[in-house]
Amino acid sequence: MKQFEETYDVIVCGGGMSGFCAAMAAARNGAKTCLIQDRPVLGGNASSEVRVTVHGAACHHSHARESGIIGEALQAERRTNHLHPNENGWINSVQDMALYNLAVSEPNLTLRLNTGVRDVLLDNGRWGMAQLGEWPVATEEKGYMHRPACHPGAKILAVKAYVSNAETELILRGKQFIDCTGDALPAHLAGCEWRWGSESTAETGEIHAAADASTDTMGNSIHIRCIDTGRPAPYRAPEWAMKYEDAAFFYEQGRRPNDPEGGFWWIEIGVPWNTVYDNETIRHELTRHALGVWDWMKNRDEKMMDRCKNYALEFIGQVPGKRESRRVVGQHFLNENELQRREKFVDEVAYGGWFIDLHTPGGLLAATSEPASAVGYNDQLKEIALKYIGPYGIPLRSMISKDVENLMMAGRNISTTHAALGTVRVMATCGLMGQAAGTAAALSVLRGLSPSEVAEKEIDQIQQQLLRDGCFLPNLRNEDPADLARKATASASSAWAFSGLGAWETAEDTGLRPGWLQCGKETPVSKHLCQWLYLSGKSLEKIGLWLHNPADESAKVKVCLRPVASLWDYEIETAEPLWRGEIEVPAGQDGLQWIPVGARDFADGCYRVEVRGDDEANNQVTWRLSGNNAYGWVGGNVVGSGRFHWNRTPSPFAMQFDPPQSVYGPEQALSGVTRPTGKTNLWFSDPGRSLPQSLDLTWDAPVALNRVEVTFPGQIFVEVHGESPFYVAPHIARKYRIQSLEGTGGEGENWRDRVIVTDNQAQRRQHDLPESIRTSRLRILIEETHGARRAGLAEVRCY
């Protein structure tokens, strides 16, 4: 066997989305980094081996799509992949290659694929595996499995890894280590305290904690993908496959096989087996059941047989994707209640917004699947609506081991209760945590501090670096003192004065897959509807709502215009209304109904229009959705928890303003936030004026510039599933120039090109200028986009 040693600053164990983002962040922030992955491809559950599509906050919160490295990776995949990410099973090796390309293109990063961690060397000079027999064992005294800390205050000196098929053993020494393995094997071998199973409500006080503690975990899954062959494709299952005969098992227990292409997350098994030690048994059982599910759909399911007639199996996963095993206890143990109330952590470094998604232990072997699925995700039920939380911040302390000085975690093995894991475990959220951990680890090396000390002394630096590197943090904004753009004044060649969206207006520039925008769709006002929007705070004479009353008699509708903190302000009585009243919708009306508001000199920012039918049961009035969309316009309705929530479509309700509102001015590109929150935080040019259009930064006195960083408006409305093959967000500039003003300006201004870009596809670009310049004015001139009629910018930074 070949053996050799290597030394790095940061070693990341595990190459799923958490580990990939952690390694990329550490390397980009100056640390010599090694990424160890036990599979031949990166991505973990999101690889072509497992094929779980990447979910995150944008499934449940409009404009909450994850950015940073995870966003960059998904954008790279979309613009090169011919396949749409329909759902689980519909991932191909193009996604693997997108991640691989980014990793091998990073000069500070060494990638070790097919390399699994076998052991860790501690600072007592002994390997962890040799000490397991001497350390306390995990017990079930608390109901769940719990292993106490075995070697508090320890440090990891190295990991031992084995390269499959190469007969090679590696000793990889490092200063900082990040455990992104999911099963937390390095943390286990280093003696960290961990939990496995479910805490009780009595212990944690959480809404979704179990009544009784147990060792039960969520299960593992494999996925299938089927393709249309264009002709009948018979299927006969092998004798050892599971045979399903009962339609109620699928249609009454939350396992609806409603898509002949596959995508069934509920092909899941865990209990009675252990999701780590019995993984091979679970893999075989899942294969039996997956083939049985397809056999049922093809040969006995009356609802699906005809739809599946021409479909054939194209992929049957053989690497189970895991949801849960060890959770390492860190410096902060994250609790669901903190996420429910959106706690503002001082060390916020990531965010989430997936629902409390706790699958029923046993999966296919249990009476029902995940509880929300079992009732059709009916958010009018209070117990279901309470699962929808966020967006919330995630603290760095939950990613720092309390027992091993130089160990961090990212992904599903962070320091969290079982209930809180239900929301933080999805891969887009894990990617954000990975980037945060990698950034903190790199700074630890640079400063010569432990992650714990960095979290205490340098948290502002970590947060500001994350923002600069493209991340969004709900409770923070750019306050980088080195960013000279913060001292400039912004102006533009034009700005979009927004007057609203019509019902039958179709989107000319979203690039979303067909069907995601729902032109003219009607929603009853009896559901207590709302629309989040932005007003410029000068004058609003009237608003027009596109209402349809098919009845023979008029109907009354209550309307309220209320200021809110942001488009994620879901509380009903959040502030006193700016205007409220009752209108009468004439019989047969189907169009804009103008409502006089007559507001003057109100605060600019985010507002919510609330529309509710009268108390009569026969009110048939509906509010139509628009076939177009705009940044910051979000429709919603009241759900069972007594709060408003997004209606899960990128189509807002159709409504208009008089006069138009100047909410996309050039100053928004310097707000320090790169997406709509309390304000739009985006500049858009007037769509009535052709490109090129420009945004200028002006300083009171000349400044020295060496670097300019630009962020264009990205697709943040919905998850990646809504994007077409070869997708590039339409507001990203394809051709643009960065120019500086020569001389003092005035008539015949002389603008000099400093950067010329002719075929850009990236949302964020960092440009080191060919030479240092001194100027009092800088211009971003956008000549062509990827389809949008408007030029746009989310942020400009100058250094």
Side-chain angles (χ1 to χ4, degrees), residues 149-169:
C150 305
H151 193 181
K155 289 183 68 174
I156 298 175
L157 301 181
V159 297
K160 181 188 294 183
Y162 182 78
V163 185
S164 303
N165 303 319
E167 298 181 9
T168 300
E169 185 177 81

Side-chain angles (χ1 to χ4, degrees), residues 105-127:
S105 299
E106 176 50 54
N108 255 0
L109 178 60
T110 298
L111 184 59
R112 294 292 184 191
L113 296 177
N114 293 303
T115 304
V117 173
R118 293 289 183 86
D119 212 340
V120 301
L121 179 65
L122 299 178
D123 58 350
N124 63 359
R126 299 181 64 193
W127 292 95

